[in-house]
Amino acid sequence: MDGTEGSAGQPGPAERSHRSSVSSVGARAADVLVYLADDTVVPLAVENLPSLSAHELHRAVREVLQLPDIALDVFALWLVSPLLEVQLKPKHQPYKLGRQWPELLLRFTSAPDDDVAMDEPFLQFRRNVFFPKRRELQIHDEEVLRLLYEEAKGNVLAARYPCDVEDCEALGALVCRVQLGPYQPGHPAACDLREKLDSFLPAHLCKRGQSLFAALRGRGARAGPGEQGLLNAYRQVQEVSSDGGCEAALGTHYRAYLLKCHELPFYGCAFFHGEVDKPAQGFLHRGGRKPVSVAISLEGVHVIDSREKHVLLGLRFQELSWDHTSPEEEEPILWLEFDGDSEGTPVNKLLKIYSKQAELMSSLIEYCIELSQAAEPAGPQDSATGSPSDPSSSPAPVQRPKLRRQGSVVSSRIQHLSTIDYVEDGKGIRRVKPKRTTSFFSRQLSLGQGSYTVVQPGDSLEQG
C-alpha cells in the first residue's frame, strides 16, 4: 500500500467498534457486508472471497444498488475501523488486507497493543478522494446524490468538516427539508423529532434548554439563537424551492447541500491524524503539542485543530513545498514549507506535523499533484450516465465563492502554530530571524505562474 492510488487516515463519523464485513467464510462462498455512509448494509454473497479484488466488490455493490456507470469514479471501497481508514485501490484484495490489519495499525497508528488486538475493520462504500468536485456538478442520478449527501451530512454533524454557524444553519435547514418535508408550522413530524436537534446541527450548536420544534408548532418557549437561525433558514429553503407553486424533488436538495459543502475547502478530503507544536507561552515559554487533523485533497492541504474544530493552516499545492522524515527512534514528521510574515516582514516558514502517517500523507500529496499536472484543460465532460454532453446545452461553470467572514473557522490561524524560519548561509541550514534564501525542500509543485517561491533575504537580516 504505497498511498499513490489509495489513501489512509483517521476515522470519521462512522466509527464502529463491533462491525465486521465478513459474516461467514467457507471454502468457496462467503457473505460480505458493505456499509454505506448512512449506516445501511449491502449484503453480498460472493465466491472465492480471499482472492476477490476491490474492483469486483465495487461492481457487485453498484449492481445491487442499481447505480449508473459514473458511480465507478465517484465512489471507492474503504476499510474503516475506529483506529484507521484506508481507501482501497481497485487491485487490492480486501480480505487479505483485513488479515494484515494489525500490521497496518502498528505501522500507521500509535494505538496500544490491546486496542490493536481488538480492532476489526469493516468495508464502506463512500466517496473517492480523487473524484474532482467539478464533476459532482454534472451528476443527476438521485441515488448517487443521496449517497454523497449522506456522507457529507455525517461529516458536518460530526464536526469533521468545521463550519461557521451560518453555514451549519443553512446545511441543517436542508436536512430539515429532506427529513421533515416542506416547512409547515405545527407539522407533526417536527413534534415527533423535537428531541433530535443533533440530527440537523453539530452537537456543539445544540441547545437543549429551548426547543426549535416548539417554535415550529408556534407555541412554547422561544428557540435559542442557533435554533432560531436554523428555523429561519428552514423557512427560506421552502420560499426558494416552492417558487412557482411546485415542490422541489429531493435530488434538488441533495445537490444544494453538496454545493454548499463545496464552499468548504476540505470537502472530499482524506483525513489523517497528527500533532503540531504549540507556540511557547508564559514566562517559562511552555509549549507542548496539540492534536490536529490533516485534510488532503486534489486541491491542497488543511491542518485542522481537532479540539477547537477550526482551521490552523490552509495551503494550495502551489503555495507549499513538503517532505517527510522518519528519524531512527523518533516520530515520523511531515514538513510543510510556506510563505508567511513576522511582524509585517515576509518570511518562509516550516511546520512540523508529527504523525506515524507522515509517509502516507507525503505520498498522497505527491499523487494529487501528479493528477493535477496530468489533468487536461477543462472542456465538455461526460454526463452522469457516461454519454458525452452537448456543449451547446452545458451550463456555465459554477464559481466557488470564497469564504471571507472575519474569524471564520475555515480561515488559517497561523498565530496558533509554532513554525521555524531558516536561512542557508552557504554551509548549511541554520535558524535565523526572519528569512532564508532557498527552499528547504526540493519537493514542490511547479505549475508556472503562482508557484511557490522563497523569500529572498535583505541586507538587514538578523541572525539568531
Side-chain angles (χ1 to χ4, degrees):
M1 189 174 56
D2 54 23
T4 56
E5 293 179 31
S7 61
Q10 68 181 74
E15 294 181 342
R16 301 291 185 271
S17 57
H18 299 291
R19 282 184 173 181
S20 175
S21 283
V22 180
S23 58
S24 64
V25 178
R28 295 184 178 179
D31 296 327
V32 177
L33 307 178
V34 178
Y35 293 81
L36 304 181
D38 61 357
D39 289 341
T40 58
V41 180
V42 179
L44 302 172
V46 299
E47 300 287 336
N48 300 317
L49 176 62
S51 61
L52 203 65
S53 69
H55 177 74
E56 292 169 311
L57 274 178
H58 193 287
R59 180 177 58 199
V61 174
R62 298 198 315 272
E63 290 175 353
V64 171
L65 298 179
Q66 298 182 339
L67 298 177
D69 292 342
I70 190 67
L72 176 63
D73 297 328
V74 177
F75 301 105
L77 280 178
W78 292 66
L79 271 179
V80 179
S81 84
L83 301 180
L84 185 66
E85 297 178 345
V86 179
Q87 178 175 315
L88 304 184
K89 302 177 185 180
K91 66 181 181 181
H92 274 147
Q93 296 174 322
Y95 180 80
K96 292 183 178 179
L97 275 181
R99 297 291 296 269
Q100 298 169 2
W101 197 249
E103 301 172 22
L104 298 178
L105 296 180
L106 292 173
R107 181 178 176 185
F108 295 120
T109 77
S110 300
D113 291 343
D114 290 345
D115 291 347
V116 170
M118 296 295 294
D119 195 60
E120 184 176 2
F122 61 91
L123 281 169
Q124 190 173 44
F125 187 78
R126 72 191 213 201
R127 193 184 190 280
N128 177 4
V129 71
F130 304 118
F131 187 71
K133 288 191 293 187
R134 60 179 171 79
R135 291 190 62 194
E136 269 193 14
L137 304 178
Q138 302 161 6
I139 297 174
H140 302 287
D141 184 85
E142 185 169 302
E143 182 61 13
V144 173
L145 292 172
R146 186 190 72 82
L147 292 174
L148 291 170
Y149 156 82
E150 291 288 353
E151 182 175 343
K153 181 186 71 173
N155 284 324
V156 170
L157 294 179
R160 199 181 201 193
Y161 290 168
C163 298
D164 295 324
V165 173
E166 298 90 337
D167 293 325
C168 288
E169 292 168 352
L171 292 168
L174 290 167
V175 179
C176 287
R177 171 60 185 86
V178 170
Q179 296 187 7
L180 305 179
Y183 169 77
Q184 296 176 6
H187 196 290
C191 304
D192 295 339
L193 297 177
R194 60 181 302 178
E195 296 301 324
K196 295 184 178 181
L197 187 59
D198 55 2
S199 297
F200 310 108
L201 294 174
H204 65 281
L205 295 181
C206 295
K207 306 289 186 182
R208 292 295 185 185
Q210 295 175 311
S211 173
L212 163 68
F213 298 108
L216 286 173
R217 292 182 298 166
R219 61 178 182 268
R222 295 180 60 188
E227 298 177 357
Q228 187 62 50
L230 177 61
L231 176 59
N232 292 337
Y234 186 15
R235 289 189 181 117
Q236 293 173 6
V237 169
Q238 292 315 305
E239 290 174 4
V240 173
S241 59
S242 295
D243 185 27
C246 60
E247 183 176 319
L250 285 179
T252 300
H253 303 296
Y254 297 149
R255 180 185 294 275
Y257 194 98
L258 294 172
L259 287 175
K260 187 66 177 176
C261 286
H262 283 194
E263 299 176 8
L264 303 173
F266 30 75
Y267 172 76
C269 284
F271 289 84
F272 302 83
H273 175 74
E275 292 182 327
V276 297
D277 292 316
K278 295 180 181 178
Q281 296 178 342
F283 178 75
L284 298 178
H285 298 285
R286 291 178 177 174
R289 295 182 184 176
K290 65 173 65 179
V292 296
S293 296
V294 183
I296 300 175
S297 72
L298 291 173
E299 300 174 1
V301 180
H302 285 77
V303 181
I304 301 171
D305 191 311
S306 298
R307 293 172 180 167
E308 300 298 329
K309 305 300 182 185
H310 59 222
V311 173
L312 296 170
L313 178 66
L315 297 169
R316 295 175 301 167
F317 291 129
Q318 293 91 337
E319 299 171 326
L320 62 85
S321 58
W322 89 101
D323 207 342
H324 81 279
T325 56
S326 300
E328 292 185 6
E329 300 181 358
E330 294 184 25
E331 292 179 85
I333 296 173
L334 177 72
W335 297 83
L336 297 180
E337 179 187 66
F338 57 97
D339 293 332
D341 69 84
S342 177
E343 299 180 352
T345 303
V347 297
N348 299 118
K349 293 178 175 291
L350 292 174
L351 176 66
K352 297 166 65 176
I353 302 176
Y354 305 92
S355 175
K356 293 189 74 173
Q357 298 173 0
E359 179 185 355
L360 291 172
M361 290 187 275
S362 179
S363 296
L364 182 56
I365 291 173
E366 185 168 15
Y367 187 63
C368 287
I369 288 176
E370 290 176 359
L371 290 178
S372 299
Q373 292 175 326
E376 296 181 358
Q381 300 292 327
D382 291 343
S383 68
T385 59
S387 59
S389 59
D390 182 1
S392 62
S393 63
S394 297
V398 177
Q399 180 67 32
R400 180 171 66 93
K402 295 183 179 179
L403 300 179
R404 297 184 180 275
R405 296 191 189 100
Q406 186 175 2
S408 170
V409 296
V410 301
S411 299
S412 294
R413 290 164 170 76
I414 300 177
Q415 69 274 18
H416 294 174
L417 294 171
S418 177
T419 57
I420 305 170
D421 303 321
Y422 279 92
V423 72
E424 186 174 12
D425 62 2
K427 297 181 180 180
I429 302 294
R430 59 192 178 93
R431 190 163 185 164
V432 301
K433 299 177 181 179
K435 303 174 184 176
R436 56 192 174 78
T437 58
T438 59
S439 174
F440 191 64
F441 304 121
S442 60
R443 305 180 75 171
Q444 303 174 36
L445 170 62
S446 180
L447 292 179
Q449 186 176 6
S451 297
Y452 171 75
T453 56
V454 298
V455 175
Q456 298 300 319
D459 297 334
S460 60
L461 183 64
E462 177 188 358
Q463 296 185 354

